[in-house]
Amino acid sequence: MVSGIEVGSVPFNPDGWGPPDASIATNTTSTLPLNVPFAPFSRSDKLGRIADWTRNVNNPNANRSNKNASDSVFDFTADDSFPAAAAAGDDDSTFRLVDGKPPPRPKFGPKWRFNQHRPQLPQRRDEEVEARKREAEKERARRDRLYNLNRSNQNQTRREAAAFKSSVDIQPEWNMLDQIPFSTFSKLSFSVPEPEDLLLCGSLEFYDRSYDRVTPKNERRLERFKNRNFFKVTTTDDPVIRRLANEDKATVFATDTILATLMCAPRSVYSWDIVIQRVGNKLFFDKRDGSQLDLLSVHETSQEPLPEAKDDMNSAYSLSVEAAYINQNFSQQVLVRDGNKVTFDEPNPFANEGEEVASVAYRYRRWKLDDNMHLVARCEVQSVVEVNKQRSFLTQNALNEFDPKYSGVDWRQKLETQRGAVLATELKNNANKLAKWTAQALLASADMMKLGYVSRVHPRDHYNHVILAVVGYKPKDFASQINLNTSNMWGIVKSIVDLCMKLNEGKYVLVKDPSKPQVRIYEVPVDAFENDYVEEPLPEDEQVQPPAEDTENAEVTVATDEVKDKEVDAQA
């Protein structure tokens, strides 16, 4: 280091920033070295080394790889004008124009915390991924046991049907002819013309409009109609259908319940079966006595599993019996029971003289499937209303709430303010049941379908119920709301009819596979499901009803006898 530097006198420039003009400089005595280049700068510029761009390069062939070579424009060690430059040459060798050091990191703040844990982040991320994979495997294993992941028409998970038994015991002598996956049903489409009414039987009572104003705050107790008989007669036991078959009115015969089951088959989870009889050139779709088609499924498409024990009041079987019991009583309670009825061409074909029967009308309707094939079905409506001197037919069905913890929605709290949310939950948990009700209303050409919301008085009491609300929908509007395509429904029926018409004369059974989304067709003996032929014997306490004595006029009163027995046991 130099001990001292003589600066000399610095001339003052009153006209600007920098040294004065040459004329002024010559008049002033100065000790500054001559011929020193000057680079103009402003006050905002940061001062650094001076670069002499006018210097000549001493050695053009010198090695230019060294940035601090002696020919650098920033090197003044060889210049006599800077006596201190030679002494500071060693220090200048470490000089850099640009500061390459990283900026100091703050000692506090989220960036510092993030950077402190940065080396451990990849390892922690791998551990999290592995933990998520393990949880996903556990969840997948649980759902594999409870839900059916192969649902064709929706992407959501649902319970696996393998947990349920087949609706009919498959005998070893049965011959399986074909199996149809539900994925093929979604691609089918068929349009049918408007049906024609061949015959109307029975009588209807008028709907009580006061039930449209029922709310959870003014709920009504569900009554019991033990004296009214309900008939669930299969196709071949129907005397009217037999008469129409003898008159060659059609080649295919069924009921609205059977047709709705076929039309909504892709939405089903529980196993069901339909008996098919090929007699000559005619085709009959039947159900077995005590079939699952007589009951109503509950939480069939729900993701929450129901108890498997049949003696549990919330098991699938017990809820089906309870739902059928509620549905029958509800359909009769919402009527004006003043004796005023609308009668049709013929009386109820299944009732004996003087017998009190439920309010129901049977519409025997015919659809044209092609030039040589017609279909006749027995359709049901439960009541009638008169608006502007015009009568409209209604169907009446009841949704039942058994325990809010299974659905996640408390009807008493949500029905008044969030009725749409309640309906959406029911559409998720009971998609198949609601679709079948809608299909039956469309088949019967009902002008309105009434849905009742019936709940238990207490979640642990499955004998007493209350009506919380009644809502009406037009079947076509409701079908579009639940994505029920009429052309697709008839496409499914037409494909099954065409398949069965190719079979030989005999008896067959169409079974919904309990574990897969598909149906299977079996060839069965002619005496199957008749007389003492029992597919799967059940204990007496699990029988829906005793066998009917009159096979030609079979009457099925669903769930009533069983509920009476359970009431006696509960009281005891």
Side-chain angles (χ1 to χ4, degrees):
M1 294 293 293
V2 181
S3 59
I5 299 176
E6 266 189 44
V7 178
S9 63
V10 179
F12 173 71
N13 185 4
D15 298 329
W17 180 262
D21 294 337
S23 59
I24 302 176
T26 52
N27 299 330
T28 306
T29 304
S30 177
T31 60
L32 292 177
L34 299 178
N35 302 322
V36 176
F38 171 73
F41 60 94
S42 62
R43 294 185 180 183
S44 60
D45 292 341
K46 293 183 179 180
L47 297 178
R49 295 281 308 268
I50 299 176
D52 185 8
W53 299 99
T54 61
R55 290 180 55 201
N56 294 326
V57 180
N58 296 331
N59 187 9
N61 299 324
N63 185 9
R64 300 182 181 272
S65 61
N66 187 4
K67 295 182 179 180
N68 297 320
S70 60
D71 57 356
S72 172
V73 294
F74 300 101
D75 182 41
F76 291 91
T77 56
D79 196 333
D80 298 332
S81 302
F82 291 87
D90 296 336
D91 295 336
D92 292 341
S93 62
T94 60
F95 180 81
R96 296 291 183 273
L97 284 178
V98 179
D99 189 2
K101 296 180 181 179
R105 298 175 181 175
K107 294 184 178 181
F108 303 99
K111 291 184 178 180
W112 177 81
R113 290 197 299 268
F114 177 81
N115 293 332
Q116 287 293 103
H117 295 281
R118 191 170 183 177
Q120 289 79 19
L121 183 60
Q123 181 180 1
R124 187 184 66 175
R125 183 177 300 171
D126 293 341
E127 292 176 356
E128 291 179 354
V129 170
E130 293 298 328
R132 290 176 183 175
K133 286 183 179 180
R134 288 193 297 269
E135 292 296 328
E137 288 295 334
K138 292 180 182 179
E139 182 70 13
R140 190 177 297 110
R142 186 181 71 87
R143 291 188 177 183
D144 286 345
R145 292 191 303 267
L146 302 176
Y147 303 141
N148 187 348
L149 300 178
N150 297 324
R151 190 171 183 179
S152 59
N153 61 333
Q154 293 186 10
N155 294 328
Q156 61 183 4
T157 59
R158 52 175 210 184
R159 287 180 295 167
E160 185 182 357
F164 311 113
K165 295 182 180 180
S166 176
S167 61
V168 60
D169 188 16
I170 307 298
Q171 300 297 323
E173 66 268 15
W174 292 4
N175 181 26
M176 189 183 73
L177 302 179
D178 198 1
Q179 57 184 8
I180 309 170
F182 286 164
S183 57
T184 60
F185 285 162
S186 60
K187 306 173 185 178
L188 301 176
S189 179
F190 183 74
S191 298
V192 295
E194 287 295 321
E196 57 175 324
D197 285 332
L198 300 180
L199 191 65
L200 273 79
C201 303
S203 60
L204 291 177
E205 296 181 77
F206 288 89
Y207 174 73
D208 189 355
R209 297 183 182 177
S210 64
Y211 280 89
D212 292 337
R213 298 186 294 271
V214 173
T215 61
K217 294 182 180 179
N218 61 341
E219 59 189 27
R220 298 199 186 184
R221 194 75 173 230
L222 183 67
E223 302 176 13
R224 302 175 183 176
F225 295 85
K226 300 180 180 180
N227 297 326
R228 292 195 174 189
N229 293 325
F230 302 86
F231 305 99
K232 301 292 182 182
V233 184
T234 186
T235 306
T236 52
D237 291 339
D238 190 332
V240 178
I241 289 184
R242 289 184 176 182
R243 188 176 68 199
L244 295 176
N246 293 331
E247 297 174 358
D248 288 333
K249 294 293 184 181
T251 54
V252 184
F253 299 88
T255 63
D256 58 347
T257 304
I258 295 175
L259 286 182
T261 303
L262 293 175
M263 291 176 169
C264 305
R267 299 175 185 241
S268 62
V269 177
Y270 296 157
S271 178
W272 47 264
D273 60 275
I274 296 174
V275 180
I276 303 171
Q277 299 190 60
R278 178 75 190 277
V279 182
N281 65 335
K282 292 181 174 58
L283 200 63
F284 296 89
F285 290 90
D286 282 304
K287 67 175 182 62
R288 296 179 296 106
D289 291 339
S291 171
Q292 289 291 332
L293 301 183
D294 293 331
L295 302 178
L296 297 177
S297 63
V298 179
H299 270 226
E300 180 177 1
T301 56
S302 170
Q303 299 182 13
E304 291 297 327
L306 297 175
E308 296 182 1
K310 282 193 174 184
D311 55 351
D312 194 310
M313 68 171 62
N314 291 334
S315 66
Y317 175 79
S318 300
L319 289 176
S320 297
V321 175
E322 180 184 356
Y325 165 79
I326 292 173
N327 195 68
Q328 290 178 351
N329 289 325
F330 171 79
S331 66
Q332 303 304 304
Q333 182 171 345
V334 295
L335 304 175
V336 181
R337 298 184 295 275
D338 56 358
N340 187 15
K341 297 183 179 181
V342 177
T343 58
F344 297 100
D345 304 338
E346 296 183 8
N348 193 312
F350 316 118
N352 298 323
E353 186 176 355
E355 184 180 9
E356 185 178 0
V357 297
S359 171
V360 62
Y362 301 104
R363 304 182 71 176
Y364 293 87
R365 319 190 79 195
R366 180 169 63 180
W367 287 266
K368 182 179 179 181
L369 299 182
D370 56 36
D371 295 337
N372 300 322
M373 186 163 50
H374 290 76
L375 183 146
V376 167
R378 184 189 72 221
C379 307
E380 298 181 13
V381 290
Q382 284 77 38
S383 66
V384 63
V385 294
E386 190 169 341
V387 180
N388 297 329
K389 298 182 180 180
Q390 291 184 353
R391 291 175 179 174
S392 302
F393 293 122
L394 276 69
T395 61
Q396 292 146 198
N397 300 101
L399 296 166
N400 61 302
E401 180 190 40
F402 57 96
D403 197 338
K405 74 177 183 180
Y406 283 93
S407 61
V409 179
D410 191 347
W411 287 6
R412 287 175 171 81
Q413 299 179 0
K414 302 294 184 179
L415 267 178
E416 284 188 315
T417 58
Q418 299 180 11
R419 183 171 295 176
V422 175
L423 179 60
T425 304
E426 290 301 306
L427 288 174
K428 181 184 69 173
N429 297 335
N430 299 284
N432 186 36
K433 179 171 65 176
L434 284 166
K436 289 169 65 175
W437 286 347
T438 309
Q440 290 177 256
L442 291 172
L443 290 171
S445 293
D447 300 283
M448 187 73 67
M449 52 183 296
K450 293 289 184 178
L451 289 182
Y453 293 87
V454 180
S455 178
R456 293 177 180 175
V457 175
H458 188 272
R460 302 303 299 173
D461 180 10
H462 62 292
Y463 296 113
N464 300 304
H465 303 83
V466 290
I467 303 175
L468 301 179
V470 180
V471 186
Y473 300 95
K474 292 184 178 180
K476 291 184 179 180
D477 297 341
F478 194 75
S480 61
Q481 182 177 349
I482 65 175
N483 197 23
L484 191 64
N485 191 342
T486 308
S487 299
N488 178 250
M489 295 191 312
W490 279 108
I492 296 173
V493 173
K494 182 66 165 55
S495 65
I496 294 178
V497 168
D498 291 341
L499 179 63
C500 296
M501 292 300 284
K502 298 177 183 179
L503 302 176
N504 299 325
E505 289 192 40
K507 182 177 286 189
Y508 306 88
V509 61
L510 183 71
V511 182
K512 159 68 173 65
D513 193 292
S515 59
K516 298 179 182 179
Q518 64 182 12
V519 291
R520 296 177 178 176
I521 299 179
Y522 293 91
E523 184 179 5
V524 299
V526 179
D527 60 346
F529 318 117
E530 294 180 1
N531 300 328
D532 296 331
Y533 188 96
V534 180
E535 295 77 20
E536 186 178 1
L538 297 174
E540 293 182 358
D541 57 345
E542 296 180 2
Q543 294 285 349
V544 178
Q545 64 166 19
E549 297 180 359
D550 187 4
T551 58
E552 294 183 359
N553 244 347
E555 298 179 7
V556 181
T557 305
V558 178
T560 304
D561 295 335
E562 184 179 70
V563 172
K564 289 181 180 178
D565 296 338
K566 287 186 177 181
E567 286 184 49
V568 173
D569 296 339
Q571 293 176 359

